[in-house]
Amino acid sequence: MMLFMVLPVLALVYLSWHFWVLLPVAKVWRLLVIVLGVGSFLLMFLNFGRRFDGLPLTVAQVCYEVSTSSIFILLYLVIVFLALDLGRLAHIVPPAWLCQNGYAAGAICVLIFGIFLYGNLHYKNKVRVELDLQTDKPLPRDYRVVMMSDLHIGYHNTRKELARWVDLVNAEQPDFILIAGDIIDGSMRPVLEERMAEEFLRLKAPVYACLGNHEYYAGSPEARQFYRDAGIHLLIDSTAVVDSAIVIVGRDDRTNKRRKPLDSLFAPEGTEKFSIVLDHQPHDLDRAEKVGIDFQLSGHTHRGQVWPISWITDRIYECSWGPYQRGTTRYYVSSGLGIWGGKFRIGTQSEYVVATLTSNEP
């Protein structure tokens, strides 16, 4: 934890020094640029303390966007300057490029702007992922299932954005909808003030969901009440049955260290039905395989949201994104329909899954 506190401070010092040396303007203007950059980053800590909840909604939304976006911009500026410093040490980049150079400063600004413009446009382009699920277990008919995770509705993913997502889902005409946690970003204030529950009520199919870690950040009791108001079947270490043929098991998030083990939620007679587990965080995937689950939907990772963080999540998790299989158990780890923080996708995608569930039995 200490490492995550120290690294941003070192990055801010490193970038502040570089901008002080690079910008060919008066000291007061250089100081202003540095103060604005550092201030944007520090603004994020007000969000962690729920201080944004006391601001007018529009102001809070801007503060959220600026503060959380600064994290990713900080990362990419460090990458750019590290590359330039390594080039200078290798005598590829002339030292004059990094000292009082307006052209270099302008080029860096254009590069960063271009990267994050692309990242924002890519985030807005929701990717439709098709998934074919076949089973030897009997089903009364074929099913179309829309699967999502990590909507993170709140200050940045507003009701207007949520309405667009609801339209996407309704267009698929699903038989039921699965959401693998983190519907809420962190504060209940914008969710309630914009009456976002009304958008979920427009969904034309039953919705089953589990809790994610962000529901605990938002306040689990308030989040649960919101789900009831939104008509969502919230499964917390509990099950639901669809057409007497499909059993859906929703696990509590592993934030709750006392959540029930999976084998206590899945009765032996449940093996006759096609079984789906909703578990927000894709840890301990072997447990679903041992119990004999047919399919598990998870999210949480966002696959790092931007490169090169995606490289880190790919190494932390057995599966950090996409389809996966252990034995006869299939998995899908979604990178999320929404996003936490700045609305940028670089090397990853915002997605929803449209699965077709069919039986091989005649």
Side-chain angles (χ1 to χ4, degrees):
M1 185 66 180
M2 184 61 70
L3 183 64
F4 288 105
M5 296 297 292
V6 172
L7 285 178
V9 172
L10 293 176
L12 287 171
V13 171
Y14 175 70
L15 291 177
S16 297
W17 175 79
H18 259 299
F19 276 110
W20 185 265
V21 174
L22 176 63
L23 295 176
V25 293
K27 290 182 179 180
V28 65
W29 294 111
R30 281 183 276 169
L31 183 61
L32 180 61
V33 169
I34 292 169
V35 168
L36 287 175
V38 173
S40 297
F41 178 81
L42 295 179
L43 192 62
M44 177 181 59
F45 292 96
L46 294 179
N47 180 44
F48 291 156
R50 295 282 183 84
R51 305 284 177 81
F52 289 171
D53 287 353
L55 299 173
L57 184 59
T58 302
V59 175
Q61 289 170 338
V62 171
C63 289
Y64 183 100
E65 292 284 5
V66 169
S67 62
T68 55
S69 296
S70 69
I71 302 170
F72 301 103
I73 295 171
L74 175 72
L75 170 65
Y76 273 74
L77 282 171
V78 168
I79 291 173
V80 169
F81 279 112
L82 280 176
L84 290 171
D85 282 337
L86 290 173
R88 180 173 54 83
L89 291 174
H91 304 291
I92 299 172
V93 175
W97 284 16
L98 301 178
C99 182
Q100 299 285 300
N101 194 317
Y103 293 109
I108 291 171
C109 288
V110 170
L111 174 63
I112 293 297
F113 178 81
I115 289 173
F116 285 97
L117 176 61
Y118 158 78
N120 180 255
L121 294 175
H122 188 45
Y123 166 73
K124 292 177 178 178
N125 176 36
K126 306 304 177 183
V127 178
R128 181 184 187 274
V129 178
E130 292 188 3
L131 189 65
D132 183 25
L133 295 176
Q134 296 185 5
T135 179
D136 292 330
K137 296 178 179 179
L139 296 173
R141 58 190 176 89
D142 294 346
Y143 292 87
R144 178 181 288 260
V145 187
V146 171
M147 305 180 185
M148 303 175 284
S149 76
D150 299 276
L151 277 64
H152 288 275
I153 57 174
Y155 283 123
H156 63 321
N157 288 317
T158 63
R159 178 170 177 171
K160 181 179 179 181
E161 184 75 3
L162 176 60
R164 188 168 73 91
W165 300 348
V166 169
D167 291 340
L168 284 175
V169 174
N170 281 337
E172 297 293 341
Q173 299 181 322
D175 295 295
F176 58 92
I177 300 161
L178 302 176
I179 307 178
D182 277 7
I183 293 177
I184 299 165
D185 184 61
S187 172
M188 292 300 301
R189 184 267 183 117
V191 173
L192 297 176
E193 195 166 318
E194 289 202 276
R195 299 165 64 179
M196 295 192 194
E198 295 176 1
E199 292 301 329
F200 284 99
L201 293 173
R202 290 201 302 113
L203 289 168
K204 298 177 181 179
V207 182
Y208 302 92
C210 66
L211 290 176
N213 55 307
H214 276 254
E215 273 80 16
Y216 280 93
Y217 303 157
S220 182
E222 292 84 354
R224 296 181 193 194
Q225 182 59 50
F226 170 78
Y227 284 164
R228 286 191 287 269
D229 295 340
I232 296 171
H233 302 286
L234 181 61
L235 302 176
I236 308 174
D237 284 343
S238 58
T239 62
V241 177
V242 177
D243 292 346
S244 301
I246 302 169
V247 58
I248 303 171
V249 182
R251 301 202 68 191
D252 197 353
D253 186 66
R254 72 194 300 265
T255 301
N256 179 7
K257 303 302 180 183
R258 293 177 295 179
R259 70 173 180 168
K260 295 179 182 179
L262 180 58
D263 56 8
S264 72
L265 303 173
F266 190 65
E269 58 268 22
T271 57
E272 300 172 1
K273 302 179 177 68
F274 186 85
S275 53
I276 299 172
V277 165
L278 303 178
D279 193 354
H280 177 62
Q281 302 188 42
H283 291 277
D284 304 314
L285 298 183
D286 60 306
R287 294 179 183 177
E289 178 194 9
K290 290 175 182 176
V291 175
I293 298 297
D294 293 302
F295 178 77
Q296 176 173 317
L297 175 67
S298 296
H300 181 65
T301 71
H302 298 207
R303 209 192 171 202
Q305 295 190 189
V306 300
W307 175 91
I309 303 177
S310 54
W311 285 356
I312 298 175
T313 59
D314 286 349
R315 282 155 182 77
I316 290 176
Y317 297 94
E318 181 178 349
C319 173
S320 73
W321 171 63
Y324 188 67
Q325 187 161 348
R326 289 182 62 105
T328 58
T329 301
R330 296 181 62 180
Y331 305 78
Y332 193 91
V333 179
S334 174
S335 56
L337 180 64
I339 210 165
W340 172 88
K343 294 180 179 178
F344 309 114
R345 285 283 190 178
I346 302 170
T348 66
Q349 65 187 31
S350 288
E351 63 181 23
Y352 62 101
V353 178
V354 180
T356 303
L357 174 58
T358 58
S359 175
N360 293 325
E361 281 203 346

